[in-house]
Amino acid sequence: MSKKNTSAKSEKLNVGVYGITGCAGCQLSLIFNEDEILDVVNLVNLKAFPFIKEVNIDEQFDCVILEGLVADKGDLETVKKLRKNTKMLVSLGACACTGCVPAYRHFTLKENYEHLLYKKMEEIEDVDPTPIDEHVQVDYYIPGCPPDKKEIITFIKSVAKGIVPRPYQSPVCVECRRNGNTCLLDSGKPCLGPITTGGCDSVCINGGFECWGCRGPTKDMNLDLMIKMLRDRGFDDKFIQDRMRTFVGLKLPMLEKVMKPGEKPDKLQTQFYGEKIYYG
Amino acid sequence: MAKKKQKAKTENPYIPKPYKVLEYYRETDDNFTITINMKVKHDPGQFVQLSLPGFGEAPISICSDSEEYIKLNIREVGTVTKALGNLKKGDTLLVRGPYGRGYPMQYLTGNNVLIIGGGCGVAPLKGIIDYVENHRDDFKEVMLFLGYRSPNDVLFKRELEEWRNKYHLQVTVDEEAHGEMCYDAKHGFVTDVLRSTPINNENKIVFVCGPPIMMKYVIEVLKEKGFNDKQIFLSAERLMYCAMGVCCHCMIKGKFTCVDGPVFRYDEMKELSDE
Amino acid sequence: MEKKRLNEFLLQLSKSYELIAPVKTDVVRFERVKNPETIHLEKNAYFPLKEYFFKKEEVLFTFTGNKIQETTLSSPKRAFFGIRKCDLNAIHHQDIVFMKDTQDPYYIAQRKNSLLLGYHCPSAPSPYCFCGSLDLIDFFDLMFYDKEDHFLVEVGSEKGKKLAEKYGKLFSPSTRLMTQADKVIPGADRLDKKDISAFYDHKDWKKGADICLSCGACTALCPTCYCFEIHDEVKAENVNKGERKRSWSSCQLQEFTRVAGDHVFREDREERFKHRIYHQLEYFKEKYGVQMCVGCGRCIDGCPTRIDFVDIINKMEHGKEETESKN
C-alpha cells in the first residue's frame, strides 16, 4: 500500500473534466459511479472538474474529458484552449462526439425553431452547433447519450495504467442478445441496434425501449438493409430519417438514401470517426 | 443447495507462469528482443503467450533455439507489446506455452536451407538460423534473404556479422539510406535480390515469413525458379486468445493457426489461402 | 411413467437439485423452476442452455501485480429438464470442445454436477427445425417420450439409471423396446444436403450475406457456438489489481479477426457468413469427427432478417440438379 502511494504521487495523471454546451448529464454519468468515484479521485490528479469542484487549475493536463458541443464563440474558445493545454482530448457523450440533439438544427428550417430562441441574443455569439472534432483534433471518443458510466471509469483506469482502450465497435445487438433480450424489430419496433455501436450493455432494450442509435453507427453497418427493414415494418422515409438523425445526424453518412430531394441540408463536411465522409 | 468445492485436478491451462527477463535489447525504435529464463524444449517457429496482467496477452514467436532460455523479438504495435517494451532486465513477466506446430526441422535434414524474411517476420526465422547453427552437420548450405523497410528497421544487427561470415546473406531495404550504414544492405525489395540470385530448387527447403504481400511475391519468384509447394514453409498470423484450438479466433478455414500452425507447408496453406 | 406423476418426480428432484426447465415468459426460456406446473413443453426455448455451462462472461483468475490467484470453481447440483434432442447434442458437442483435447476447468466445474433430462419432441416445434437431417446421437441421463397418457422414459446413462431406481416408485417398468420410429421427430429434416464441401465457391452465399446485419444474434443463440475472447480488467482502487475474464464472441463481427494495426482478416460479410456455416457443417467435423450444428434452427428463428442457410444450401443442391438436367 505504502509503496503504491509514494510511487503514484509523482506519476499521477493530470485529468480535467469539462463541459461546454450540453446538459451536464455526461459529467453526471461519471459521478454516478458511486462505488468507484472516490477511487478514481485517488487514482488520478483531478486538477479540474468545475461541475463539482471549487478550485480548478486549467493547464497542463495529460487528459481532458470534455462534454458538450460547440454552440457559441465561448465554447469554441474553451475547446481551443483545452486542446492546447492537454496531451489527450476525449469527447464525452453524444453531443461531443456526434452533435446529438442540439445539432438537429442542421436538418430543419430556421422558422421551425425560431420561436424557441432566447429573446436576448446579444451575449450569445452563435456558432453552428457542431461536435468537438469539427474544430480541434479529438484523441478518443466515449459516445452515448448518456455515455455508459462504466465505460468512462474503464477509460480512466486504462489511461492511468498507460493504455488507450480499444473502442467498442460491435453493434448493440451483441450485448442485447447476451442479455437475453428478444429482438424488438420482431415486435415491429424501429430499433436501430443493428447499425449502432454498442458498449452500452443494451441498456435501452433491457428496459423494453428500442435503440435510437445514440452511440453512432458501426463501421460495419448494413445501412441499406436497415432502412429496408424499417420500411418493411411500415415506417416511412421521413420517420426513418428523423430517427436516424436524432443523435448522430451529422455523422451518419449516406443518409441521402432516405432523404427526398430538397430536404438535403447544406453541404457539410464531417468526420466519421477519423475518416472523412462527404454528403449533402 | 449442495455446494461442492472442487480443485481442478489437472493443471489450469489458462494460468501463465512467472519468468524473469535475463536480457533486454532494443533492436529498433519500435522493436526489441528479450531473453527470459524459460527452460523448455521447443521447435523453431513455435510461440508463447506473453502476458502482463492488466494489459493482456500477446502471442509471440520464439526466436532462439536453446533449452536454457528463450528469446523473443517483439514489435510494439498493440497494448500488450507496448507495455512489454517498458520491461527491464530483472523484471517478471508471465508466460504460457510453447504452443503451435513449429518448423519440422528434424524431417528436413540433409537439405540446403533458404531463408527469406521480411520485417518482423524475420523473428521466427531466426529460430531456424539458431537451430541450424546448433545442428550444423545436418544441413548443407544456408542462404539468407532478409528485407526491411528502411535501414532503421533492420533487426538482429548484433547477429548480422556472424551470419554474413557463415552463410550467404543478403539484406535489402525498401527505402534508401539517408545516413551512414554500418552494414551492407542493398536498396530494393527482397524479391528483386532473390530473383537475380541464381538458385535452383535442388535439395532445398525454403522458409518464408513476412507481411502477406511480401510472402505472395516471394512465392511467385520461387515458382519461377522451379520450387514446388512442398519445399516451401510459411508462417501465418492471426488474432488469437486461447492458443489451444478452442477460442476459434485464429481459424483459417478449418485450420487453427495456434494448433495446426502457425507454420504451414505451402501446399496446405494454398488450400486455405483464398480466404 | 404416468403423466400426472411427472410433476411429482420433478418436485421431489428439486429438493436435492436446482431444477432448470423451459418456462414461458415473453418467450420460452430455461429458468430455475420452483413449481413444475409452470414448465412449458410446447415450444423449444428461444435461448439455448449453453450459458449454464459455458458462461457469457467469467473470471479466469484474479491478479495483484504478477501474482495470480485462481478462482474457486463450483456449481450447484442442477437438474435440467425438458432439453430437446438438439440441445442435448449441443451439450455433447461442447463437451467435446471443452473436455476432450483441452480440459477446461471452468466448463467442467459447471458441467459436472448436472443431470440431463431430455424431452423428445413429438413433432418439430419450430418451422426452422432440421435436426433430423443431421447425425444426432442419444445423449442424456433420462429421456422422456411423450406418449399421449404417459411418458416413456429411456435410461441413457449410469447416472440416469440410478436416478430412476431412486425414484422407482414413480416409474413403472416397461418391457417395450425402443424402436427407430420412437426416435424420429416428424417434420425436422429440411436440410437436403449436409455435405457442403462442393459449394464453397457458390455464388449464392452472397444471398445470405446481403441480408445480414452482422448483429451476431445467430452465434449468441446457437447452442453449439463456443468462440470466446479474453481480456483484462483492472480495479480503480489499484490498477495493478484486476481480473482476467473471458466472454462470448462472435465470428460474424469484424472485431473477431481485428489485429493490432487495425487489420481485419475476415472483413467481408459474405466470408464471415460462410465461415459460420462451414464451421458448423464442415470444419468442426474435420477436427472432431462430427458436425457441430444440431439443427435447432435458432440462428434462423432469432435472426432479425431470418437468413435461412438451410434454404440457401437446399437451393444450391437443387439448383445444381437443374443445371445438370439442362445440360
Side-chain angles (χ1 to χ4, degrees):
Chain A
M1 252 339 240
S2 62
K3 194 186 162 206
K4 179 203 132 197
N5 283 343
T6 49
S7 70
K9 199 96 196 171
S10 54
E11 293 162 15
K12 270 190 188 176
L13 215 63
N14 294 315
V15 174
V17 183
Y18 283 89
I20 46 176
T21 301
C23 71
C26 308
Q27 295 177 71
L28 270 176
S29 294
L30 169 58
I31 300 163
F32 282 156
N33 284 290
E34 292 91 353
D35 295 340
E36 286 184 290
I37 185 75
L38 292 176
D39 289 329
V40 167
V41 171
N42 283 327
L43 180 67
V44 296
N45 180 17
L46 201 56
K47 267 184 133 176
F49 195 165
F51 188 51
I52 55 164
K53 267 183 81 176
E54 218 163 317
V55 185
N56 296 290
I57 309 153
D58 63 350
E59 54 191 9
Q60 287 184 329
F61 294 107
D62 294 304
C63 177
V64 164
I65 301 174
L66 183 55
E67 179 208 306
L69 83 172
V70 176
D72 72 0
K73 279 269 160 59
D75 289 341
L76 198 56
E77 279 160 25
T78 313
V79 166
K80 285 185 174 158
K81 189 172 143 206
L82 288 172
R83 176 71 263 185
K84 221 190 287 170
N85 286 341
T86 184
K87 288 178 193 155
M88 187 179 194
L89 183 65
V90 181
S91 283
L92 176 67
C95 290
C97 296
T98 57
C100 195
V101 177
Y104 200 82
R105 182 174 120 181
H106 289 280
F107 308 117
T108 183
L109 299 168
K110 197 171 182 186
E111 52 255 40
N112 292 337
Y113 61 83
E114 220 164 12
H115 64 286
L116 296 167
L117 294 175
Y118 292 114
K119 294 290 171 265
K120 285 186 177 176
M121 288 286 286
E122 302 89 61
E123 285 160 39
I124 305 167
E125 273 193 79
D126 201 26
V127 171
D128 254 359
T130 31
I132 295 166
D133 63 6
E134 289 286 322
H135 304 281
V136 294
Q137 188 205 326
V138 169
D139 304 302
Y140 196 79
Y141 299 84
I142 304 177
C145 184
D148 181 57
K149 62 176 189 177
K150 264 192 154 167
E151 190 180 354
I152 310 174
I153 290 283
T154 305
F155 173 77
I156 297 175
K157 283 191 291 196
S158 305
V159 173
K161 205 169 164 56
I163 307 169
V164 177
R166 202 187 238 196
Y168 191 94
Q169 293 187 32
S170 304
V172 173
C173 305
V174 172
E175 289 167 300
C176 186
R177 293 309 181 125
R178 219 167 280 174
N179 288 330
N181 298 318
T182 52
C183 189
L184 289 181
L185 284 161
D186 285 351
S187 42
K189 288 193 180 170
C191 183
L192 297 184
I195 59 164
T196 303
T197 312
C200 51
D201 201 32
S202 67
V203 57
C204 298
I205 303 111
N206 299 350
F209 191 72
E210 71 267 19
C211 175
W212 280 53
C214 75
R215 294 176 62 91
T218 60
K219 276 190 180 171
D220 185 36
M221 68 176 167
N222 197 336
L223 187 62
D224 290 343
L225 181 60
M226 188 75 235
I227 292 167
K228 181 182 175 294
M229 287 180 71
L230 293 175
R231 282 178 182 154
D232 290 349
R233 278 157 183 74
F235 299 101
D236 62 21
D237 286 3
K238 174 91 174 63
F239 176 89
I240 298 171
Q241 174 188 300
D242 285 352
R243 181 59 66 97
M244 287 186 175
R245 275 172 174 175
T246 307
F247 286 97
V248 293
L250 288 184
K251 297 283 180 177
L252 193 60
M254 302 169 280
L255 254 192
E256 62 269 29
K257 283 187 176 137
V258 284
M259 275 196 291
K260 295 190 185 79
E263 285 181 339
K264 288 182 180 180
D266 292 330
K267 262 202 168 26
L268 189 79
Q269 176 192 328
T270 180
Q271 259 184 342
F272 177 48
Y273 293 117
E275 288 162 40
K276 288 269 180 202
I277 299 270
Y278 302 89
Y279 77 93
Chain B
M1 206 161 72
K3 269 195 181 167
K4 234 187 191 175
K5 279 191 182 171
Q6 190 98 17
K7 275 224 154 155
K9 276 172 223 137
T10 46
E11 212 167 277
N12 185 332
Y14 291 97
I15 307 251
K17 290 196 174 69
Y19 293 95
K20 283 253 173 312
V21 178
L22 301 175
E23 192 211 44
Y24 177 98
Y25 177 76
R26 188 147 277 279
E27 303 273 358
T28 71
D29 287 346
D30 66 348
N31 188 298
F32 59 96
T33 305
I34 52 172
T35 312
I36 58 173
N37 65 339
M38 188 178 191
K39 295 183 183 190
V40 65
K41 215 172 139 58
H42 61 86
D43 290 333
Q46 281 195 296
F47 67 96
V48 290
Q49 279 280 14
L50 294 188
S51 68
L52 286 176
F55 293 95
E57 274 189 312
I60 306 287
S61 59
I62 301 171
C63 71
S64 58
D65 180 61
S66 164
E67 286 180 28
E68 295 302 309
Y69 60 84
I70 59 171
K71 279 183 188 241
L72 303 154
N73 178 268
I74 301 163
R75 193 170 148 227
E76 296 175 37
V77 277
T79 306
V80 188
T81 46
K82 276 179 189 147
L84 286 165
N86 294 327
L87 286 172
K88 293 183 298 293
K89 186 181 169 182
D91 283 351
T92 304
L93 81 168
L94 304 180
V95 187
R96 48 189 188 100
Y99 294 113
R101 186 178 65 158
Y103 298 100
M105 299 309 289
Q106 57 273 37
Y107 301 105
L108 302 171
T109 51
N111 282 300
N112 296 298
V113 178
L114 185 57
I115 290 172
I116 306 163
C120 56
V122 175
L125 299 173
K126 181 181 172 286
I128 301 177
I129 302 173
D130 284 11
Y131 182 92
V132 171
E133 184 55 34
N134 291 339
H135 302 79
R136 196 62 194 92
D137 296 343
D138 293 346
F139 299 92
K140 291 181 184 159
E141 201 194 341
V142 177
M143 293 178 99
L144 307 174
F145 294 89
L146 311 177
Y148 299 97
R149 199 178 307 143
S150 80
N152 296 328
D153 296 315
V154 176
L155 305 178
F156 305 115
K157 287 176 189 140
R158 291 186 295 181
E159 288 85 357
L160 273 184
E161 258 340 279
E162 197 193 323
W163 293 347
R164 192 182 304 283
N165 293 335
K166 286 180 183 160
Y167 315 120
H168 173 93
L169 171 72
Q170 293 261 31
V171 179
T172 62
V173 287
D174 305 352
E175 288 167 20
E176 216 153 347
H178 295 298
E180 241 182 282
M181 276 212 279
C182 52
Y183 39 83
D184 190 18
K186 280 192 185 138
H187 174 228
F189 292 115
V190 75
T191 38
D192 302 334
V193 180
L194 184 65
R195 188 173 274 127
S196 60
T197 311
I199 319 171
N200 58 30
N201 74 332
E202 254 169 70
N203 250 349
K204 280 194 189 67
I205 36 163
V206 194
F207 303 100
V208 189
C209 188
I213 186 80
M214 169 256 178
M215 294 208 275
K216 192 181 153 218
Y217 287 118
V218 165
I219 287 164
E220 253 173 45
V221 176
L222 290 173
K223 291 268 141 191
E224 284 169 23
K225 292 188 181 283
F227 284 85
N228 69 51
D229 296 348
K230 291 184 178 180
Q231 287 177 289
I232 306 170
F233 290 85
L234 304 165
S235 205
E237 186 214 355
R238 282 291 186 279
L239 176 69
M240 52 177 76
Y241 289 102
C242 72
M244 295 173 281
V246 184
C247 80
C248 292
H249 283 261
C250 69
M251 276 178 90
I252 313 176
K253 290 201 175 172
K255 294 272 186 269
F256 285 81
T257 309
C258 65
V259 178
D260 304 311
V263 174
F264 292 99
R265 207 166 60 188
Y266 184 55
D267 54 328
E268 303 168 321
M269 188 67 149
K270 220 162 66 173
E271 282 181 27
L272 310 175
S273 65
D274 58 315
E275 201 180 69
Chain C
M1 179 192 268
E2 284 177 57
K3 275 206 166 163
K4 59 183 179 190
R5 296 265 190 197
L6 176 68
N7 285 353
E8 202 178 323
F9 168 66
L10 293 174
L11 207 56
Q12 287 202 22
L13 202 61
S14 68
K15 281 174 190 154
S16 39
Y17 288 89
E18 270 184 25
L19 179 63
I20 289 151
V23 174
K24 189 160 165 59
T25 52
D26 53 338
V27 285
V28 184
R29 298 164 191 267
F30 277 100
E31 276 179 8
R32 177 89 191 267
V33 171
K34 292 261 163 68
N35 176 10
E37 303 274 334
T38 58
I39 294 173
H40 178 94
L41 288 176
E42 248 168 73
K43 279 195 168 162
N44 195 8
Y46 187 83
F47 292 93
L49 257 186
K50 73 172 168 187
E51 63 187 88
Y52 285 94
F53 306 123
F54 171 42
K55 293 191 164 180
K56 292 171 185 173
E57 182 169 270
E58 69 188 314
V59 176
L60 297 179
F61 55 79
T62 57
F63 54 81
T64 308
N66 280 322
K67 267 190 84 176
I68 286 177
Q69 177 74 46
E70 285 194 48
T71 46
T72 324
L73 302 171
S74 67
S75 73
K77 279 172 82 180
R78 292 181 297 196
F80 297 90
F81 174 74
I83 322 172
R84 313 287 171 137
K85 190 177 190 176
C86 51
D87 287 352
L88 287 162
N89 273 271
I91 295 170
H92 173 55
H93 294 170
Q94 292 216 328
D95 282 358
I96 294 175
V97 172
F98 291 113
M99 290 159 66
K100 198 179 153 222
D101 293 349
T102 24
Q103 297 285 312
D104 189 288
Y106 311 96
Y107 181 84
I108 293 170
Q110 297 302 322
R111 177 72 180 81
K112 204 174 42 185
N113 294 321
S114 55
L115 268 182
L116 305 179
L117 310 176
Y119 172 75
H120 187 84
C121 306
S123 66
S126 143
Y128 301 113
C129 288
F130 58 99
C131 63
S133 311
L134 301 161
D135 304 314
L136 301 193
I137 58 159
D138 282 347
F139 184 80
F140 47 78
D141 292 318
L142 291 179
M143 183 63 135
F144 290 72
Y145 295 85
D146 204 326
K147 300 284 174 195
E148 287 173 6
D149 62 334
H150 69 284
F151 283 111
L152 197 61
V153 182
E154 187 187 4
V155 174
S157 72
E158 202 50 42
K159 243 189 200 171
K161 195 177 165 198
K162 278 191 184 139
L163 194 74
E165 278 163 7
K166 189 177 170 195
Y167 298 99
K169 271 188 238 162
L170 299 168
F171 296 85
S172 36
S174 166
T175 50
R176 186 166 177 270
L177 284 173
M178 300 301 300
T179 63
Q180 214 42 48
D182 285 316
K183 305 209 165 179
V184 167
I185 299 171
D189 52 356
R190 25 180 236 114
L191 177 65
D192 297 339
K193 176 85 174 163
K194 54 185 181 181
D195 176 10
I196 54 167
S197 49
F199 298 149
Y200 194 80
D201 295 320
H202 204 289
K203 61 181 189 341
D204 284 354
W205 292 114
K206 195 171 174 297
K207 284 185 186 166
D210 280 347
I211 53 166
C212 176
L213 289 159
S214 299
C215 71
C218 43
T219 52
L221 296 177
C222 176
T224 58
C225 275
Y226 61 90
C227 301
F228 60 82
E229 57 194 36
I230 298 173
H231 64 275
D232 288 4
E233 245 177 60
V234 293
K235 292 201 184 329
E237 49 160 307
N238 179 355
V239 286
N240 293 320
K241 275 188 180 176
E243 37 198 35
R244 181 160 292 171
K245 288 178 167 178
R246 81 165 169 204
S247 51
W248 292 359
S249 61
S250 169
C251 60
Q252 296 308 293
L253 308 172
Q254 285 191 342
E255 287 313 283
F256 195 76
T257 54
R258 193 188 299 274
V259 289
D262 226 20
H263 179 70
V264 179
F265 284 100
R266 243 187 319 273
E267 194 158 21
D268 187 45
R269 215 184 296 279
E270 185 180 337
E271 291 289 350
R272 281 178 270 150
F273 172 62
K274 217 158 79 171
H275 180 79
R276 176 169 70 89
I277 307 304
Y278 271 81
H279 191 196
Q280 292 281 353
L281 297 176
E282 290 277 315
Y283 306 151
F284 194 81
K285 190 170 183 172
E286 285 168 22
K287 192 169 161 77
Y288 297 114
V290 53
Q291 283 178 318
M292 176 157 78
C293 181
V294 292
C296 69
R298 282 192 182 92
C299 58
I300 309 166
D301 190 30
C303 175
T305 63
R306 304 284 184 280
I307 303 170
D308 190 345
F309 79 89
V310 176
D311 191 48
I312 293 173
I313 294 171
N314 286 348
K315 285 199 175 127
M316 286 179 189
E317 173 67 6
H318 301 310
K320 187 185 71 187
E321 281 161 22
E322 269 167 39
T323 46
E324 268 169 15
S325 60
K326 265 181 210 163
N327 292 341

